[in-house]
Each structure stands twice: as structure tokens, then as C-alpha cells.
């Protein structure tokens, strides 16, 4: 019989062995960042987001907490907090799911098939319903202009800051 802590370790190792960059927070297996690329065939293609993941003590019986650290323009993502409105994570989570499912299935589906009728970002939802082309253009503009944001001074340490990101970050704010 597997304990929640063994399952947490196993799922995290599986995620780390996949193609995702994983950064641990405070050497804890319960909090970490995952770099997530926008799926092909979506207006988010070409963007890379830093996703904060927190695993509760009862994981996998209780869902992980998922949030976008850097800005994303999407009807189902709160623009200020980065929290995600995704039914499979918030209400219908099952221990059959794992962290790889979150990044290979659930988040790509969220970006491929936004649900403007249940928005966390009302402006994005309204624009998407009113003018899909303008919505997709706004998404692409944000991807081209938004550098990957750091949330605190300690995260800006020399170890995890890659100066090559500056070349694709776009123009700095005046």
C-alpha cells in the first residue's frame, strides 16, 4: 500500500523526468514551479509560463493548487492572482490523476478550449465572445511583450536567473 508521501515523490519524479523544467521551493517536495509552454494549435503557442504548484498533505486524494506566476490573458485565469478555474482540478479531481496529467492534458486543454461562460477574467471572456480574432491577437501581444516575472527578490538570485531570457522578453516598461 502506497502512502500519500510516496505517491507525491513518485509523481514529482515522473514530472521531473518528463520534458518540464521543475524548480523546487525551499527544497520541499510540496511546493515547486513548473515551466509550461503554450500548446501548438492555440494562440498561446510560443509562450512559456511559470506555474506554481502546491501539493496538499492529502495529495493525491486532494487536488494540487495550481497558479500562473507570470501574466496570461485567458478567461479562466485570474489576471491578478494567476489562479485557475478548471473543474478537473477544483472539483472533480481523482487520485487516478497525477502531475503529468495536469501539464500534459488539463492545462493544454484549458488553453486550447477556454470557457468564457465561467470566467475569472471577465474582460478576456467578453472579448473572446465578442471578437475571437481580437482576443487571439491580444493573447499573442501579451506573449510577445511579457517577460517571465519573478515574485520576490530571493527568486531573482543568480542561480536561477538566466540572462538569455532578456533577448525574448520584449521592451521594458517606461
Amino acid at each position: 500500500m502506497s502512502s500519500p508521501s510516496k505517491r507525491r515523490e513518485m509523481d514529482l519524479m515522473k514530472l521531473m523526468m518528463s520534458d518540464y523544467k521543475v524548480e523546487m521551493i525551499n527544497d520541499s517536495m510540496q511546493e515547486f514551479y513548473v515551466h509550461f509552454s503554450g500548446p501548438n494549435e492555440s494562440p498561446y503557442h510560443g509562450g512559456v509560463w511559470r506555474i506554481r504548484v502546491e501539493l496538499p498533505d492529502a495529495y493525491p486524494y486532494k487536488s494540487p493548487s495550481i497558479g500562473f506566476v507570470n501574466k496570461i490573458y485567458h478567461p479562466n485565469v485570474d489576471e491578478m492572482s494567476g489562479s485557475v478555474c478548471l473543474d478537473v482540478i477544483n472539483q472533480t479531481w481523482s487520485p487516478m490523476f497525477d502531475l503529468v496529467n495536469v501539464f500534459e492534458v488539463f492545462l493544454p486543454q484549458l488553453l486550447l478550449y477556454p470557457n468564457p461562460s465561467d470566467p475569472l477574467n471577465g474582460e478576456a471572456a467578453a472579448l473572446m465572445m465578442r471578437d475571437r480574432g481580437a482576443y487571439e491577437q491580444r493573447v499573442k501581444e501579451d506573449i510577445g511583450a511579457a517577460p517571465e516575472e519573478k515574485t520576490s527578490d530571493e527568486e531573482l538570485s543568480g542561480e536561477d536567473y538566466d540572462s538569455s531570457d532578456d533577448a525574448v522578453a520584449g521592451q521594458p516598461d517606461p
Side-chain angles (χ1 to χ4, degrees), residues 28-142:
S28 163
M29 295 192 94
Q30 287 188 257
E31 294 180 76
F32 48 92
Y33 295 108
V34 177
H35 292 247
F36 172 73
S37 297
N40 297 334
E41 319 282 319
S42 81
Y44 299 94
H45 177 71
V48 177
W49 289 270
R50 195 170 186 216
I51 309 292
R52 182 182 174 106
V53 180
E54 292 182 46
L55 300 179
D57 290 337
Y59 177 86
Y61 305 105
K62 188 169 188 261
S63 67
S65 174
I66 306 288
F68 284 80
V69 174
N70 45 333
K71 184 179 171 188
I72 183 168
Y73 190 73
H74 190 284
N76 309 113
V77 179
D78 183 87
E79 203 166 17
M80 298 305 288
S81 70
S83 58
V84 177
C85 180
L86 186 58
D87 192 46
V88 74
I89 291 176
N90 298 329
Q91 283 121 23
T92 61
W93 178 263
S94 163
M96 293 186 309
F97 303 138
D98 65 15
L99 295 171
V100 172
N101 290 128
V102 170
F103 291 96
E104 289 187 355
V105 179
F106 305 149
L107 287 178
Q109 285 183 348
L110 178 76
L111 298 188
L112 285 164
Y113 310 107
N115 180 5
S117 62
D118 185 21
L120 283 175
N121 180 336
E123 178 194 319
L127 182 59
M128 182 182 181
M129 289 192 289
R130 187 176 62 248
D131 185 345
R132 183 72 182 228
Y135 164 78
E136 291 184 2
Q137 184 61 38
R138 170 74 189 271
V139 166
K140 290 176 183 176
E141 287 170 5
D142 277 4

